Amino acid sequence: MPPLRTALLQSCGRPGSVAGSVELLADAARRAAATGARLLVCPELYLTGYAIGDDVPRLAEAADGPAARAVAEIAVRHGIAVHYGYPEREGDTLYNSAQLIGPDGTTLANYRKTHLFGDFEQRWFTPGGQPVVQAELDGVRIGLLTCYDVEFPENVRAHALAGTDLLLVPTALMHPFSFVAESLVPVRAFESQLYLAYVNRTGPEGEFDFTGLSCLAGPDGTVRARAGRGEELVTADVDLALLADSRAANPYLRDRRPGLYGSLV
């Protein structure tokens, strides 16, 4: 099975303008597809911006709303799956969500962030209740988390035990927490033996200053692609053969002793 080439779009999009963010996404999808990428991953709340304050209710959409249909058209046009963050509305309830749309335009998965960070998120969003959300793309089992979720090792281990090969983590990592992107994310990939795509916003936005440093970390703990601090599109391959070899050489999942861990929960 050929590797799954994965593109990471490090960008703040156009905060406050869904149409502007979709336009940028279309160009990124075109450029990513030209490299042979089959998957494009965008940051947390990419479609609307993160520092949108009281505009959250106005900009939130249903999972099958106009923005989702626009992204599906882009996916079909360029033959690439697209994963993007957005504020989801279901009735009167708002979620910090991320959706994966396949290269044929169908929705493969929708995930609602389970661990909300800070006053802004906790004011506007309701935490999701489904810890493991997965989909299949080109023979790769893909899992979804968002930002703060990955900082809880239980979340990543739950994905590993459920068979996730590639974990997508759109994020809005801000200063002074660069060590999360630089150190924690590669360790998470190694300790749970999976690929981890961590895709950040960049630069100042409202009261926040995002660190960039998006990366694709491999199961051997090495970083296969790393963005800098600015707007950037980087690509790397997810190789299931390498993943199988790494899991055989580093048998953390096989050597676990769950009977000893009951006190953790």
Side-chain angles (χ1 to χ4, degrees):
M1 184 176 298
L4 176 67
R5 181 152 296 173
T6 301
L8 316 182
L9 175 60
Q10 180 167 284
S11 172
C12 274
R14 292 291 180 265
S17 173
V18 173
S21 296
V22 168
E23 183 178 356
L24 287 176
L25 176 61
D27 180 66
R30 176 189 59 78
R31 290 185 288 127
T35 73
R38 286 281 290 166
L39 172 63
L40 173 63
V41 188
C42 303
E44 182 176 9
L45 294 176
Y46 170 79
L47 286 186
T48 59
Y50 186 90
I52 54 176
D54 294 347
D55 277 342
V56 173
R58 178 179 67 85
L59 295 172
E61 292 188 12
D64 60 353
R69 294 194 291 273
V71 173
E73 291 175 2
I74 292 169
V76 171
R77 186 184 319 143
H78 297 291
I80 190 171
V82 179
H83 175 268
Y84 64 95
Y86 73 107
E88 178 189 355
R89 175 185 295 280
E90 185 178 60
D92 293 330
T93 305
L94 303 176
Y95 299 96
N96 183 340
S97 294
Q99 186 152 230
L100 176 62
I101 293 180
D104 62 354
T106 61
T107 297
L108 300 180
N110 189 68
Y111 171 75
R112 295 166 173 172
K113 188 175 183 179
T114 56
H115 295 71
L116 301 178
F117 178 81
D119 294 340
F120 164 67
E121 292 187 25
Q122 292 173 14
R123 175 187 177 190
W124 286 112
F125 298 115
T126 296
Q130 188 173 354
V132 176
V133 173
Q134 295 174 310
E136 297 282 337
L137 178 66
D138 294 355
V140 177
R141 183 171 294 182
I142 293 174
L144 280 61
L145 291 177
T146 297
C147 196
Y148 194 39
D149 290 331
V150 81
E151 297 177 38
F152 296 81
E154 300 90 343
N155 287 333
V156 183
R157 181 52 55 85
H159 269 278
L161 295 175
T164 292
D165 301 315
L166 168 62
L167 186 57
L168 308 182
V169 185
T171 189
L173 183 73
M174 57 200 71
H175 291 289
F177 304 113
S178 296
F179 69 89
V180 174
E182 294 170 332
S183 301
L184 186 147
V185 166
V187 169
R188 286 284 179 271
F190 180 71
E191 69 189 6
S192 280
Q193 287 299 295
L194 42 69
Y195 283 92
L196 202 162
Y198 189 76
V199 187
N200 199 14
R201 308 179 69 81
T202 180
E205 184 184 334
E207 63 184 286
F208 306 108
D209 187 11
F210 299 112
T211 67
L213 300 175
S214 301
C215 66
L216 181 70
D220 55 0
T222 64
V223 173
R224 302 313 173 98
R226 169 78 73 186
R229 300 282 186 174
E231 300 261 339
E232 195 169 349
L233 181 72
V234 298
T235 60
D237 289 340
V238 172
D239 186 343
L240 292 186
L242 184 148
L243 178 59
D245 289 344
S246 183
R247 286 173 171 171
N250 303 284
Y252 292 126
L253 302 183
R254 187 187 69 205
D255 290 346
R256 292 171 65 252
R257 297 182 61 193
L260 298 179
Y261 312 146
S263 62
L264 295 179
V265 294

